[in-house]
Amino acid sequence: MTTAKRDTYTPETLLSVAVGVFNERGYDGTSMEHLSRAAGISKSSIYHHVSGKEELLRRAVSRALDGLFGILDEEHARVGRASDRLEHVVRRMVEVLITELPYVTLLLRVRGNTDTERWALERRRDFDHEVAELLKAAAADGDLRGDVEVRLATRLVFGMINSIVEWYRPDGRGMGEREVADAVVQVVFGGLRKAA
Amino acid sequence: MTTAKRDTYTPETLLSVAVGVFNERGYDGTSMEHLSRAAGISKSSIYHHVSGKEELLRRAVSRALDGLFGILDEEHARVGRASDRLEHVVRRMVEVLITELPYVTLLLRVRGNTDTERWALERRRDFDHEVAELLKAAAADGDLRGDVEVRLATRLVFGMINSIVEWYRPDGRGMGEREVADAVVQVVFGGLRKAA
């Protein structure tokens, strides 16, 4: 019944289907049976590709984390004044979030019930910490306003960026990742109020 | 066994316990049995106060919605230049979110599976719409920068504010609602970058 489909399956398409189901039902609420039905292949075919749903979770959040940590290796994130590097990182975070939307959505919803989830949470904290350090360096350079505490500012900026997964839909309003990234950078660094 | 406790129960304390359980387990995942155990009173005692868990949900989200809509009735939200009214509303949203933290958290997690949830979602949309209108008016006055589209700006501002429920803990870092509200207003209106 599913043999015709099975041939066309790759680990990549299986991962994409799994991420959709995880985001829809929650990771805890997803069984191999759900994955099998959504993918249209038997459970044993899934086990041919991966050891189980936790491996699919690990691959999915790895993809999101690789995208985010990749930003920190980019030249504009490594070279230059801290405030410019910070601006680059904020812009690229929005772009990665949108281009890898289902993967980053899953990463942001991870709860910590399994080893893989706890590992993902720890990696997220590492990433947040890197961005917080950049913000601190920009503040130390005197490029950021002095009346917003660094840790609080970091949380608010992450809050704004991460909230994009709640409303952004690729085929919705025709907004691309560039337009959203521009808006985030403008609000975060320049604020909404027109300069006097 | 529970008669001693029952006497001290009021609809208010029951509501507070229920909101905690809803936020912990999700509304869908909460049974009357869970509520009964958390409250330490029998199910029939709960039914003495309310018709069921949906009534508790309605009361809880009403409290959050009343807090938010109450802001729009405040003088500073009604009188004055749109950008000043907007600033007041943003500040007060943060304050209400923090003072009514569990209730607003529940409101933000409502999913739309029951009539009460759909009603709550509609009321939330009404509130968002009012704030978006204020932002539009401030832009029309020429007080906001012209390069961020109003709908997108509204989403980003709500994203930043609503994300506070994810990390704010009353007895955590000692930050009060005033400090967080100040920071949000400073970032949203003035941006992080020090004015040149």
Side-chain angles (χ1 to χ4, degrees), chain A residues 46 64 71 82 96 106 136 141 153 171 193:
Chain A
I46 296 180
I71 295 170
V96 167
L106 183 62
K136 205 188 282 180
D141 286 346
D171 33 36
R193 193 181 289 115

Side-chain angles (χ1 to χ4, degrees), chain A residues 24 87 111 135 142-145 147-148 151-153 155-157 159-160 163-164 167 173 175 179-180 183-184 186-194, chain B residues 24 87 111 135 142-145 147-148 151-153 155-157 159-160 163-164 167 173 175 179-180 183-184 186-194:
Chain A
E24 172 88 18
E87 182 174 320
R111 304 185 57 177
L135 212 148
D143 290 344
L144 301 189
R145 54 191 305 153
D147 54 359
V148 181
R151 211 167 36 199
L152 182 49
R155 286 185 187 278
L156 293 175
V157 171
M160 179 180 282
S163 75
I164 295 170
W167 58 265
R173 302 266 161 77
M175 264 186 296
E179 184 181 350
V180 181
V184 169
Q186 276 145 3
V187 175
V188 163
F189 292 93
L192 278 181
R193 193 181 289 115
K194 187 182 272 182
Chain B
E24 172 88 18
E87 183 174 320
R111 304 186 56 176
L135 212 148
D143 290 344
L144 301 190
R145 53 192 304 151
D147 54 1
V148 181
R151 209 167 39 200
L152 182 48
R155 286 185 188 280
L156 293 176
V157 171
M160 180 180 281
S163 74
I164 295 169
W167 57 266
R173 302 266 162 74
M175 266 186 294
E179 184 181 351
V180 181
V184 170
Q186 276 145 1
V187 176
V188 164
F189 291 95
L192 278 180
R193 194 181 288 113
K194 187 181 273 182

